[in-house]
Amino acid sequence: MRVIFVDNVDPRTVGELFGGRIDQQGTCFNVVSKSGATLKTAAQFLVIRDLLRGRFGKKGTRTASS
């Protein structure tokens, strides 16, 4: 198992990640924010969710919250 931490919202970094570094269909994305209100974390989540929904559709992606 490989773990990748995306700790910034740089479009180039995220673009490289989704441009072929990972198998999007076989990957689990875990979004963590200690406060639950971190803007950068929320922005990353929304960008990644939209990228995945664009590729797999809404039914092909699942989100869960605690």
Side-chain angles (χ1 to χ4, degrees):
M1 177 188 315
R2 183 172 65 161
V3 177
I4 299 172
F5 293 94
V6 182
D7 58 357
N8 65 59
V9 293
D10 174 46
R12 184 175 179 183
T13 301
V14 175
E16 287 174 1
L17 184 66
F18 280 85
R21 271 186 68 197
I22 60 168
D23 170 22
Q24 295 172 29
Q25 190 167 1
T27 300
C28 176
F29 296 87
N30 186 23
V31 181
V32 179
S33 170
K34 203 162 54 168
S35 70
T38 308
L39 292 178
K40 288 182 181 179
T41 304
Q44 273 184 324
F45 166 71
L46 293 173
V47 167
I48 290 171
R49 184 193 65 181
D50 289 349
L51 287 169
L52 293 173
R53 282 189 175 171
R55 179 164 183 197
F56 302 110
K58 191 171 184 177
K59 288 186 178 185
T61 59
R62 293 180 292 176
T63 59
S65 60
S66 53

